[in-house]
């Protein structure tokens, strides 16, 4: 009697697998990967049918070879892949390297008077410039991955502190898991082979392999936790010993979907009450306080029960400590509920450790100051969080009670961007304020994820999210990803003004355009500079106090 | 309770303006007492001030140059503009202008100054009126939005007719609503817009509801929303249009004033006679 094998189970893989990270990942390569650590120790049965281990490796990873001296990760850049070193040696620079050393141009300097006058004359006197002209039309042919090398490897090794990375070691995972800039530069010391793992795949590997998760968490604990704790205002007064004890007591938790852009921010699409219910609950109002929660990344909505729903009373981002006031006051229960807005990574510091190590470093007066409530009305907080506007670090807010609709802001923007304004003076309005459709240079810039050439990037000096025109290939990934529709795809024009078409497809060549905060202008943002009635301001909505200050002007 | 930043700024600027005006009078008295040509001195100062006020328009064109924020220029424009009134009176020597050129020039100044004051009032009041509507509209997009609303209204009514064959709502539309949706509003509305038409149409539509079929009632509900939107569009077009037309008038008067003032200055210098 023969036993028939069960028919293969047909399941639908995640949507991201429709486009594997690297189509060249063959079954043979996957088999070889399954034979090496750490995948050898992973239990395929622990993975669900929709995301099997083999599928993860086939679709969410790629194997790349890098030559000695080649850069793998640059400090300050955002990325969507982590790295597992398979063969060879790499070096991580513990000190920051200069922009020249890592092949970067220095941050774009502000123009002086001479160039400002030249640009103004060109705008005022003409001849009319063709809009959106690209200097290098052939930039479209930029390969998916450009090889960049550290300019002076021996010099770097002599002058900077570095650490060696050996086969089996993981790096670049923190930036991927917290969607933050890379904290260090890593380059190949010898010719090497690395496995790049897409962030979704890394999260799935961590979810279904506790040992792998513990390993990644341990890496964070070893490499970055102390830096984060030192940068947390509540913990700044701790001495080194106390900080060690706090670090040892901390555990990590994640709530919500890292890919929060999948849930539309427009609350008209989803009932606001339903939205709060759908947000993952971190802490329920009335639960006993067993820990203070340090926000590592993402946003938290703090709310109070009100009728059948909840009223937002505050929101917090990276660096906040939730529950500190209650622990200072000796409260036994959470007075508010906390939800993850999109996703939330927190460090859980047990209440007894907080009371023993942190509370004594604060005097009564300081505690009272910390507990001072925000003055923004609850409905405004609801509005900002429902639409995720609190993600904006440089949001354009227009006071409609002062705006005469003269459009001087739009004209100034056009005048400083070759005739094409980079924003639309429209957008959601609330309580006499308009949140215009201009790039907000978000705290969590989801538009940067997936850019194949790294054209969209955050300026490490200024924090401005910019698009490098010469490397933008017009793929629309950023424009599609922006949940606020603040990136437009515009046609590229030749010097004479004619639209440039792709020879192969016959379609117009496009490039992404968005507000660059006039980072090269001597005046700063031209829109704000041009507003005669003090109606337009660029403010950091991740800090509720900035909107309070705007209202108090 | 601490004063808001803008209130503090307004108080300080007003106090400064008062000091400047007092200083101007003291200066004119001193010129008069020293038997100097005070009309020449105040004339130069007045023309210089008007030139500075007009320079704000040039500043608006030079957005890329670090010439100070437009907000600062606007503040200076308002307070210097106010200061020109007493300076003008000093220059005239508190007498009525004589001669056609002087009278025209004085009339031009008064018109420009008055248009400035009206503009100040408009820029402080119209934004609040515009902000009260449910949606905000860009002026240039109003015509296309009006067309869309009119088309939707017609389609809603025709939908009601198609559903049941009843024409009660269609008759009301043809008689009372078609003009509202498709014709421009009156000049009186452009100057002083009111919600009277909206209220009247709401009343007529409400009164006719008991005569309508279910399908027509659904169409009528849609018409309520579209009447509101059309009225808001008209309101925005009227108020924003008023602000834009005011800027045009104020600028035209300013340039006329600059030209007439220059002519007046040349003639005054040519006719000044021998030195005192």
């Amino acid at each position: 009697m023969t036993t028939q094998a069960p028919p293969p189970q047909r399941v639908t893989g995640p949507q991201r697998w429709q486009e594997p990270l690297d189509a060249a990942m063959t079954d043979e390569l996957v088999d070889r990967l399954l034979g090496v650590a750490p995948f050898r120790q992973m239990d395929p049965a622990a993975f669900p049918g929709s995301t099997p281990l083999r599928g993860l490796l086939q679709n969410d990873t790629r194997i790349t070879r890098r030559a000695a001296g080649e850069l793998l990760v640059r400090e300050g850049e955002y990325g969507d892949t982590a790295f597992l070193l398979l063969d060879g040696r790499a070096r991580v620079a513990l000190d920051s390297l200069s922009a020249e050393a890592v092949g970067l141009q220095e941050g774009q300097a502000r123009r002086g008077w001479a160039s400002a006058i030249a640009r103004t004359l060109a705008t005022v006197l003409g001849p009319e410039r063709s809009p959106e002209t690209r200097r290098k039309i052939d930039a479209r042919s930029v390969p998916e991955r450009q090889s960049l090398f550290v300019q002076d490897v021996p010099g770097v090794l002599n002058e900077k502190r570095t650490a060696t990375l050996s086969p089996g070691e993981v790096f670049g995972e923190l930036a991927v898991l917290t969607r933050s800039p890379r904290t260090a530069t890593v380059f190949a010391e010898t010719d090497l082979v690395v496995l790049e793992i897409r962030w979704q795949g890394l999260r799935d590997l961590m979810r279904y392999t506790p040992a792998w998760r513990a390993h990644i968490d341990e890496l964070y604990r070893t490499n970055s936790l102390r830096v984060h704790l030192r940068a947390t205002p509540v913990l700044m007064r701790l001495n080194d010993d106390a900080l060690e004890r706090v670090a040892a007591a901390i555990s990590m938790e994640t709530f919500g979907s890292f890919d929060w852009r999948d849930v539309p921010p427009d609350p008209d699409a989803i009932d606001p009450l339903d939205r709060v219910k759908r947000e993952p609950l971190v802490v329920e109002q009335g639960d006993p306080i067993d820990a203070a929660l340090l926000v590592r990344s993402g946003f938290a909505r703090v709310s109070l029960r009100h009728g059948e729903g909840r009223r937002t009373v505050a929101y917090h981002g990276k660096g906040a400590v939730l529950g500190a006031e209650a622990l200072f006051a000796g409260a036994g229960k959470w007075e508010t509920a906390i939800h993850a807005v999109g996703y939330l990574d927190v460090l859980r510091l047990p209440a007894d450790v907080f009371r023993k190590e942190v509370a004594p470093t604060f005097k009564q007066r300081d505690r009272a100051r910390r507990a001072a409530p925000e003055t923004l009305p609850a409905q405004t907080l609801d509005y900002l969080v429902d639409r995720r506007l609190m993600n904006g670090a440089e949001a354009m807010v227009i006071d409609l009670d002062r705006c005469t609709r003269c459009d001087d802001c739009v004209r100034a923007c056009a005048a400083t961007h070759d005739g094409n304004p980079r924003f639309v003076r429209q957008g959601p309005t609330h309580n006499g304020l308009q949140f215009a459709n201009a790039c907000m240079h978000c705290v969590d810039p989801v538009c940067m994820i997936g850019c194949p050439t790294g054209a969209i990037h955050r300026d490490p000096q200024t924090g401005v999210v910019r698009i490098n025109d010469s490397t933008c290939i017009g793929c629309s990934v950023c424009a599609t990803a922006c949940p606020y529709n603040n990136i437009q795809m515009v046609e590229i024009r030749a010097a004479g003004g004619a639209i440039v078409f792709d020879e192969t497809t016959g379609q117009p060549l496009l490039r992404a355009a968005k507000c660059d905060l006039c980072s090269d202008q001597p005046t700063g943002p031209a829109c704000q500079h041009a507003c005669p009635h003090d109606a337009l301001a660029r403010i950091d909505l991740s800090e509720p106090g900035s909107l309070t200050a705007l209202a108090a002007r | 309770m601490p004063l808001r930043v803008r209130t503090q700024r307004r108080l300080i600027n007003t106090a400064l303006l008062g000091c400047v005006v007092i200083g101007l009078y003291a200066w004119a008295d001193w010129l008069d007492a020293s038997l100097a040509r005070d009309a020449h001195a105040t004339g130069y100062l007045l023309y210089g001030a008007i030139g500075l006020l007009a320079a704000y328009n040039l500043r608006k064109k030079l957005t890329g140059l670090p010439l100070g924020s437009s907000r600062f220029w606007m503040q200076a424009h308002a307070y210097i503009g106010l200061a020109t009134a007493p300076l003008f009176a000093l220059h005239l020597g508190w007498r009525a202008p004589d001669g056609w050129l002087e009278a025209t020039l004085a009339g031009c100044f008064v018109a420009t100054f008055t248009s400035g004051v009206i503009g100040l009032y408009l820029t402080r009041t119209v934004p609040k009126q515009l902000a009260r509507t449910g949606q905000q509209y860009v002026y240039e997009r109003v015509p296309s939005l009006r067309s869309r609303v009119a088309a939707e209204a017609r389609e809603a009514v025709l939908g009601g007719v198609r559903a049941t064959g009843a024409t009660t709502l269609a008759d009301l539309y043809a008689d009372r609503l078609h003009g509202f949706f498709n014709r421009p509003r009156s000049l009186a509305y452009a100057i002083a817009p009111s919600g009277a038409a909206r209220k009247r149409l709401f009343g007529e539509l409400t009164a006719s509801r008991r005569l309508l079929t279910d399908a027509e009632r659904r169409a009528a509900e849609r018409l309520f929303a579209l009447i509101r939107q059309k009225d808001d569009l008209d309101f925005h077009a009227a108020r924003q249009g008023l602000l834009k037309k005011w800027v045009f008038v104020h600028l035209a008067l300013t340039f006329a004033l600059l030209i007439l003032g220059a002519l007046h200055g040349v003639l005054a210098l040519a006719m000044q006679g021998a030195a005192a």
Side-chain angles (χ1 to χ4, degrees), chain A residues 120 400 402-403 405 408 415 426 529 532 534 553, chain B residues 4 6 56 59-60 68 70-71 74 127 136 141:
Chain A
T120 303
L400 292 175
R402 299 186 69 83
C403 174
R405 283 70 168 173
D408 277 0
Q426 278 191 311
H529 195 66
D534 201 15
R553 286 203 305 190
Chain B
R4 288 168 64 128
R6 286 194 186 113
Y56 180 36
R59 150 69 185 84
K60 284 191 171 197
S70 187
R71 177 173 66 94
M74 185 66 217
Q136 299 300 310
R141 293 185 184 175

PDB file of all heavy atoms in Angstrom, chain A residues 120 400 402-403 405 408 415 426 529 532 534 553, chain B residues 4 6 56 59-60 68 70-71 74 127 136 141:
ATOM      1  N   THR A 120      16.612  85.621  -9.376  1.00  0.00           N
ATOM      2  CA  THR A 120      15.474  86.527  -9.407  1.00  0.00           C
ATOM      3  C   THR A 120      15.374  87.234 -10.746  1.00  0.00           C
ATOM      4  O   THR A 120      14.289  87.359 -11.315  1.00  0.00           O
ATOM      5  CB  THR A 120      15.615  87.563  -8.278  1.00  0.00           C
ATOM      6  OG1 THR A 120      15.733  86.865  -7.042  1.00  0.00           O
ATOM      7  CG2 THR A 120      14.408  88.479  -8.223  1.00  0.00           C
ATOM      8  N   LEU A 400      -6.745  80.481   8.379  1.00  0.00           N
ATOM      9  CA  LEU A 400      -7.734  80.965   7.407  1.00  0.00           C
ATOM     10  C   LEU A 400      -8.376  82.278   7.829  1.00  0.00           C
ATOM     11  O   LEU A 400      -8.933  82.996   6.998  1.00  0.00           O
ATOM     12  CB  LEU A 400      -8.809  79.898   7.183  1.00  0.00           C
ATOM     13  CG  LEU A 400      -8.334  78.632   6.475  1.00  0.00           C
ATOM     14  CD1 LEU A 400      -9.449  77.599   6.430  1.00  0.00           C
ATOM     15  CD2 LEU A 400      -7.854  78.941   5.070  1.00  0.00           C
ATOM     16  N   ARG A 402      -6.757  84.767   8.702  1.00  0.00           N
ATOM     17  CA  ARG A 402      -5.829  85.823   8.283  1.00  0.00           C
ATOM     18  C   ARG A 402      -5.488  85.744   6.800  1.00  0.00           C
ATOM     19  O   ARG A 402      -5.038  86.732   6.225  1.00  0.00           O
ATOM     20  CB  ARG A 402      -4.528  85.740   9.091  1.00  0.00           C
ATOM     21  CG  ARG A 402      -4.719  85.925  10.589  1.00  0.00           C
ATOM     22  CD  ARG A 402      -3.390  85.975  11.309  1.00  0.00           C
ATOM     23  NE  ARG A 402      -2.676  87.193  10.978  1.00  0.00           N
ATOM     24  CZ  ARG A 402      -2.875  88.366  11.547  1.00  0.00           C
ATOM     25  NH1 ARG A 402      -3.785  88.489  12.502  1.00  0.00           N
ATOM     26  NH2 ARG A 402      -2.173  89.430  11.187  1.00  0.00           N
ATOM     27  N   CYS A 403      -5.651  84.564   6.214  1.00  0.00           N
ATOM     28  CA  CYS A 403      -5.242  84.383   4.809  1.00  0.00           C
ATOM     29  C   CYS A 403      -6.214  85.102   3.877  1.00  0.00           C
ATOM     30  O   CYS A 403      -7.419  84.816   3.884  1.00  0.00           O
ATOM     31  CB  CYS A 403      -5.203  82.893   4.475  1.00  0.00           C
ATOM     32  SG  CYS A 403      -4.891  82.573   2.731  1.00  0.00           S
ATOM     33  N   ARG A 405      -6.101  84.867   0.670  1.00  0.00           N
ATOM     34  CA  ARG A 405      -6.105  84.072  -0.568  1.00  0.00           C
ATOM     35  C   ARG A 405      -5.414  84.824  -1.708  1.00  0.00           C
ATOM     36  O   ARG A 405      -5.808  84.710  -2.872  1.00  0.00           O
ATOM     37  CB  ARG A 405      -7.528  83.710  -0.999  1.00  0.00           C
ATOM     38  CG  ARG A 405      -8.170  82.580  -0.218  1.00  0.00           C
ATOM     39  CD  ARG A 405      -8.514  82.951   1.190  1.00  0.00           C
ATOM     40  NE  ARG A 405      -9.375  81.957   1.827  1.00  0.00           N
ATOM     41  CZ  ARG A 405      -9.716  81.960   3.097  1.00  0.00           C
ATOM     42  NH1 ARG A 405      -9.232  82.898   3.911  1.00  0.00           N
ATOM     43  NH2 ARG A 405     -10.496  81.039   3.589  1.00  0.00           N
ATOM     44  N   ASP A 408       0.256  84.834  -2.829  1.00  0.00           N
ATOM     45  CA  ASP A 408       1.661  85.245  -2.859  1.00  0.00           C
ATOM     46  C   ASP A 408       2.573  84.067  -2.511  1.00  0.00           C
ATOM     47  O   ASP A 408       3.687  83.960  -3.020  1.00  0.00           O
ATOM     48  CB  ASP A 408       1.908  86.389  -1.850  1.00  0.00           C
ATOM     49  CG  ASP A 408       1.524  87.740  -2.428  1.00  0.00           C
ATOM     50  OD1 ASP A 408       1.076  87.779  -3.589  1.00  0.00           O
ATOM     51  OD2 ASP A 408       1.657  88.759  -1.720  1.00  0.00           O
ATOM     52  N   ALA A 415       8.252  80.983  -8.203  1.00  0.00           N
ATOM     53  CA  ALA A 415       9.391  81.809  -8.608  1.00  0.00           C
ATOM     54  C   ALA A 415      10.716  81.184  -8.187  1.00  0.00           C
ATOM     55  O   ALA A 415      11.742  81.378  -8.850  1.00  0.00           O
ATOM     56  CB  ALA A 415       9.270  83.198  -8.008  1.00  0.00           C
ATOM     57  N   GLN A 426      -4.411  74.033  -0.884  1.00  0.00           N
ATOM     58  CA  GLN A 426      -5.646  73.355  -0.539  1.00  0.00           C
ATOM     59  C   GLN A 426      -5.284  72.251   0.441  1.00  0.00           C
ATOM     60  O   GLN A 426      -4.126  71.881   0.544  1.00  0.00           O
ATOM     61  CB  GLN A 426      -6.292  72.748  -1.784  1.00  0.00           C
ATOM     62  CG  GLN A 426      -7.095  73.740  -2.579  1.00  0.00           C
ATOM     63  CD  GLN A 426      -7.927  73.070  -3.651  1.00  0.00           C
ATOM     64  OE1 GLN A 426      -7.406  72.250  -4.400  1.00  0.00           O
ATOM     65  NE2 GLN A 426      -9.188  73.407  -3.740  1.00  0.00           N
ATOM     66  N   HIS A 529       8.005  83.178   3.786  1.00  0.00           N
ATOM     67  CA  HIS A 529       8.662  84.481   3.650  1.00  0.00           C
ATOM     68  C   HIS A 529       7.782  85.460   2.877  1.00  0.00           C
ATOM     69  O   HIS A 529       7.873  86.677   3.066  1.00  0.00           O
ATOM     70  CB  HIS A 529       9.989  84.279   2.914  1.00  0.00           C
ATOM     71  CG  HIS A 529      10.932  85.425   3.000  1.00  0.00           C
ATOM     72  ND1 HIS A 529      11.517  85.831   4.175  1.00  0.00           N
ATOM     73  CD2 HIS A 529      11.385  86.279   2.052  1.00  0.00           C
ATOM     74  CE1 HIS A 529      12.286  86.875   3.946  1.00  0.00           C
ATOM     75  NE2 HIS A 529      12.226  87.160   2.672  1.00  0.00           N
ATOM     76  N   PRO A 532       2.137  87.992   3.427  1.00  0.00           N
ATOM     77  CA  PRO A 532       2.111  89.345   3.999  1.00  0.00           C
ATOM     78  C   PRO A 532       1.338  89.427   5.311  1.00  0.00           C
ATOM     79  O   PRO A 532       1.532  90.376   6.070  1.00  0.00           O
ATOM     80  CB  PRO A 532       1.420  90.176   2.925  1.00  0.00           C
ATOM     81  CG  PRO A 532       0.886  89.250   1.913  1.00  0.00           C
ATOM     82  CD  PRO A 532       1.267  87.861   2.269  1.00  0.00           C
ATOM     83  N   ASP A 534       1.058  87.070   7.794  1.00  0.00           N
ATOM     84  CA  ASP A 534       1.469  86.186   8.886  1.00  0.00           C
ATOM     85  C   ASP A 534       0.484  85.025   9.056  1.00  0.00           C
ATOM     86  O   ASP A 534       0.231  84.570  10.169  1.00  0.00           O
ATOM     87  CB  ASP A 534       1.548  86.995  10.191  1.00  0.00           C
ATOM     88  CG  ASP A 534       2.430  86.302  11.214  1.00  0.00           C
ATOM     89  OD1 ASP A 534       3.165  85.396  10.824  1.00  0.00           O
ATOM     90  OD2 ASP A 534       2.374  86.668  12.402  1.00  0.00           O
ATOM     91  N   ARG A 553      -0.435  83.285  18.788  1.00  0.00           N
ATOM     92  CA  ARG A 553       0.260  84.444  18.205  1.00  0.00           C
ATOM     93  C   ARG A 553      -0.660  85.654  18.109  1.00  0.00           C
ATOM     94  O   ARG A 553      -1.862  85.506  17.948  1.00  0.00           O
ATOM     95  CB  ARG A 553       0.798  84.090  16.814  1.00  0.00           C
ATOM     96  CG  ARG A 553       1.990  83.199  16.883  1.00  0.00           C
ATOM     97  CD  ARG A 553       2.848  83.263  15.670  1.00  0.00           C
ATOM     98  NE  ARG A 553       2.116  82.994  14.432  1.00  0.00           N
ATOM     99  CZ  ARG A 553       2.716  82.802  13.265  1.00  0.00           C
ATOM    100  NH1 ARG A 553       4.009  82.826  13.176  1.00  0.00           N
ATOM    101  NH2 ARG A 553       2.034  82.562  12.176  1.00  0.00           N
TER     102      ARG A 553
ATOM    103  N   ARG B   4      -1.577  88.735  23.613  1.00  0.00           N
ATOM    104  CA  ARG B   4      -1.082  87.956  22.489  1.00  0.00           C
ATOM    105  C   ARG B   4       0.044  88.720  21.803  1.00  0.00           C
ATOM    106  O   ARG B   4       0.117  89.947  21.892  1.00  0.00           O
ATOM    107  CB  ARG B   4      -2.217  87.702  21.498  1.00  0.00           C
ATOM    108  CG  ARG B   4      -3.238  86.709  22.015  1.00  0.00           C
ATOM    109  CD  ARG B   4      -4.458  86.727  21.148  1.00  0.00           C
ATOM    110  NE  ARG B   4      -4.116  86.275  19.803  1.00  0.00           N
ATOM    111  CZ  ARG B   4      -4.774  85.300  19.163  1.00  0.00           C
ATOM    112  NH1 ARG B   4      -5.746  84.680  19.747  1.00  0.00           N
ATOM    113  NH2 ARG B   4      -4.437  84.955  17.944  1.00  0.00           N
ATOM    114  N   ARG B   6       0.600  89.379  18.715  1.00  0.00           N
ATOM    115  CA  ARG B   6       0.160  90.363  17.724  1.00  0.00           C
ATOM    116  C   ARG B   6      -0.387  91.620  18.393  1.00  0.00           C
ATOM    117  O   ARG B   6      -0.185  92.729  17.909  1.00  0.00           O
ATOM    118  CB  ARG B   6      -0.913  89.751  16.823  1.00  0.00           C
ATOM    119  CG  ARG B   6      -0.342  88.764  15.835  1.00  0.00           C
ATOM    120  CD  ARG B   6      -1.360  88.437  14.760  1.00  0.00           C
ATOM    121  NE  ARG B   6      -0.836  87.391  13.905  1.00  0.00           N
ATOM    122  CZ  ARG B   6      -1.339  86.164  13.825  1.00  0.00           C
ATOM    123  NH1 ARG B   6      -2.350  85.810  14.583  1.00  0.00           N
ATOM    124  NH2 ARG B   6      -0.818  85.280  13.009  1.00  0.00           N
ATOM    125  N   TYR B  56       6.943  98.171  -1.897  1.00  0.00           N
ATOM    126  CA  TYR B  56       6.469  96.879  -1.402  1.00  0.00           C
ATOM    127  C   TYR B  56       6.041  95.982  -2.569  1.00  0.00           C
ATOM    128  O   TYR B  56       6.261  94.767  -2.537  1.00  0.00           O
ATOM    129  CB  TYR B  56       5.317  97.098  -0.430  1.00  0.00           C
ATOM    130  CG  TYR B  56       4.748  95.828   0.153  1.00  0.00           C
ATOM    131  CD1 TYR B  56       5.574  94.740   0.464  1.00  0.00           C
ATOM    132  CD2 TYR B  56       3.386  95.687   0.411  1.00  0.00           C
ATOM    133  CE1 TYR B  56       5.056  93.583   1.008  1.00  0.00           C
ATOM    134  CE2 TYR B  56       2.868  94.530   0.945  1.00  0.00           C
ATOM    135  CZ  TYR B  56       3.699  93.478   1.230  1.00  0.00           C
ATOM    136  OH  TYR B  56       3.196  92.322   1.760  1.00  0.00           O
ATOM    137  N   ARG B  59       9.108  94.549  -3.954  1.00  0.00           N
ATOM    138  CA  ARG B  59       9.590  93.501  -3.039  1.00  0.00           C
ATOM    139  C   ARG B  59       8.844  92.186  -3.282  1.00  0.00           C
ATOM    140  O   ARG B  59       9.413  91.097  -3.223  1.00  0.00           O
ATOM    141  CB  ARG B  59       9.429  93.987  -1.595  1.00  0.00           C
ATOM    142  CG  ARG B  59       9.177  92.926  -0.539  1.00  0.00           C
ATOM    143  CD  ARG B  59      10.383  92.023  -0.293  1.00  0.00           C
ATOM    144  NE  ARG B  59      10.105  90.939   0.624  1.00  0.00           N
ATOM    145  CZ  ARG B  59       9.549  89.788   0.290  1.00  0.00           C
ATOM    146  NH1 ARG B  59       9.195  89.546  -0.962  1.00  0.00           N
ATOM    147  NH2 ARG B  59       9.360  88.839   1.205  1.00  0.00           N
ATOM    148  N   LYS B  60       7.544  92.301  -3.563  1.00  0.00           N
ATOM    149  CA  LYS B  60       6.759  91.085  -3.807  1.00  0.00           C
ATOM    150  C   LYS B  60       7.235  90.339  -5.053  1.00  0.00           C
ATOM    151  O   LYS B  60       7.094  89.122  -5.140  1.00  0.00           O
ATOM    152  CB  LYS B  60       5.279  91.443  -3.971  1.00  0.00           C
ATOM    153  CG  LYS B  60       4.586  91.762  -2.667  1.00  0.00           C
ATOM    154  CD  LYS B  60       3.093  91.840  -2.891  1.00  0.00           C
ATOM    155  CE  LYS B  60       2.357  91.929  -1.575  1.00  0.00           C
ATOM    156  NZ  LYS B  60       0.943  91.618  -1.728  1.00  0.00           N
ATOM    157  N   GLY B  68      13.951  90.919   3.608  1.00  0.00           N
ATOM    158  CA  GLY B  68      13.034  91.013   4.740  1.00  0.00           C
ATOM    159  C   GLY B  68      11.738  90.315   4.387  1.00  0.00           C
ATOM    160  O   GLY B  68      11.346  90.242   3.216  1.00  0.00           O
ATOM    161  N   SER B  70       7.832  89.400   3.907  1.00  0.00           N
ATOM    162  CA  SER B  70       6.693  90.166   3.406  1.00  0.00           C
ATOM    163  C   SER B  70       5.835  90.648   4.580  1.00  0.00           C
ATOM    164  O   SER B  70       5.225  91.707   4.514  1.00  0.00           O
ATOM    165  CB  SER B  70       5.866  89.278   2.478  1.00  0.00           C
ATOM    166  OG  SER B  70       4.858  90.014   1.854  1.00  0.00           O
ATOM    167  N   ARG B  71       5.802  89.854   5.630  1.00  0.00           N
ATOM    168  CA  ARG B  71       5.044  90.236   6.830  1.00  0.00           C
ATOM    169  C   ARG B  71       5.574  91.554   7.398  1.00  0.00           C
ATOM    170  O   ARG B  71       4.805  92.457   7.731  1.00  0.00           O
ATOM    171  CB  ARG B  71       5.189  89.122   7.874  1.00  0.00           C
ATOM    172  CG  ARG B  71       4.538  89.386   9.191  1.00  0.00           C
ATOM    173  CD  ARG B  71       4.631  88.132  10.043  1.00  0.00           C
ATOM    174  NE  ARG B  71       6.009  87.819  10.409  1.00  0.00           N
ATOM    175  CZ  ARG B  71       6.573  88.216  11.541  1.00  0.00           C
ATOM    176  NH1 ARG B  71       5.900  88.929  12.406  1.00  0.00           N
ATOM    177  NH2 ARG B  71       7.817  87.889  11.818  1.00  0.00           N
ATOM    178  N   MET B  74       4.682  94.372   5.083  1.00  0.00           N
ATOM    179  CA  MET B  74       3.251  94.701   5.185  1.00  0.00           C
ATOM    180  C   MET B  74       2.978  95.562   6.412  1.00  0.00           C
ATOM    181  O   MET B  74       2.218  96.537   6.344  1.00  0.00           O
ATOM    182  CB  MET B  74       2.450  93.389   5.268  1.00  0.00           C
ATOM    183  CG  MET B  74       0.950  93.570   5.268  1.00  0.00           C
ATOM    184  SD  MET B  74       0.374  94.231   3.698  1.00  0.00           S
ATOM    185  CE  MET B  74      -0.928  95.312   4.282  1.00  0.00           C
ATOM    186  N   PRO B 127     -11.083  87.488   5.224  1.00  0.00           N
ATOM    187  CA  PRO B 127     -10.639  86.124   5.514  1.00  0.00           C
ATOM    188  C   PRO B 127     -11.525  85.403   6.528  1.00  0.00           C
ATOM    189  O   PRO B 127     -11.828  84.215   6.354  1.00  0.00           O
ATOM    190  CB  PRO B 127      -9.226  86.328   6.070  1.00  0.00           C
ATOM    191  CG  PRO B 127      -8.766  87.573   5.439  1.00  0.00           C
ATOM    192  CD  PRO B 127      -9.969  88.454   5.349  1.00  0.00           C
ATOM    193  N   GLN B 136     -13.130  75.327   1.406  1.00  0.00           N
ATOM    194  CA  GLN B 136     -12.351  76.459   0.924  1.00  0.00           C
ATOM    195  C   GLN B 136     -12.083  76.267  -0.568  1.00  0.00           C
ATOM    196  O   GLN B 136     -11.838  75.144  -1.010  1.00  0.00           O
ATOM    197  CB  GLN B 136     -11.026  76.551   1.686  1.00  0.00           C
ATOM    198  CG  GLN B 136     -11.213  76.750   3.182  1.00  0.00           C
ATOM    199  CD  GLN B 136     -11.986  78.025   3.495  1.00  0.00           C
ATOM    200  OE1 GLN B 136     -11.673  79.093   3.004  1.00  0.00           O
ATOM    201  NE2 GLN B 136     -13.027  77.890   4.304  1.00  0.00           N
ATOM    202  N   ARG B 141     -10.307  78.271  -9.555  1.00  0.00           N
ATOM    203  CA  ARG B 141     -11.011  77.017  -9.827  1.00  0.00           C
ATOM    204  C   ARG B 141     -12.527  77.163  -9.700  1.00  0.00           C
ATOM    205  O   ARG B 141     -13.269  76.209  -9.975  1.00  0.00           O
ATOM    206  CB  ARG B 141     -10.527  75.925  -8.876  1.00  0.00           C
ATOM    207  CG  ARG B 141      -9.099  75.549  -9.129  1.00  0.00           C
ATOM    208  CD  ARG B 141      -8.670  74.394  -8.260  1.00  0.00           C
ATOM    209  NE  ARG B 141      -7.262  74.124  -8.451  1.00  0.00           N
ATOM    210  CZ  ARG B 141      -6.574  73.245  -7.759  1.00  0.00           C
ATOM    211  NH1 ARG B 141      -7.176  72.551  -6.822  1.00  0.00           N
ATOM    212  NH2 ARG B 141      -5.288  73.053  -7.984  1.00  0.00           N
TER     213      ARG B 141
END
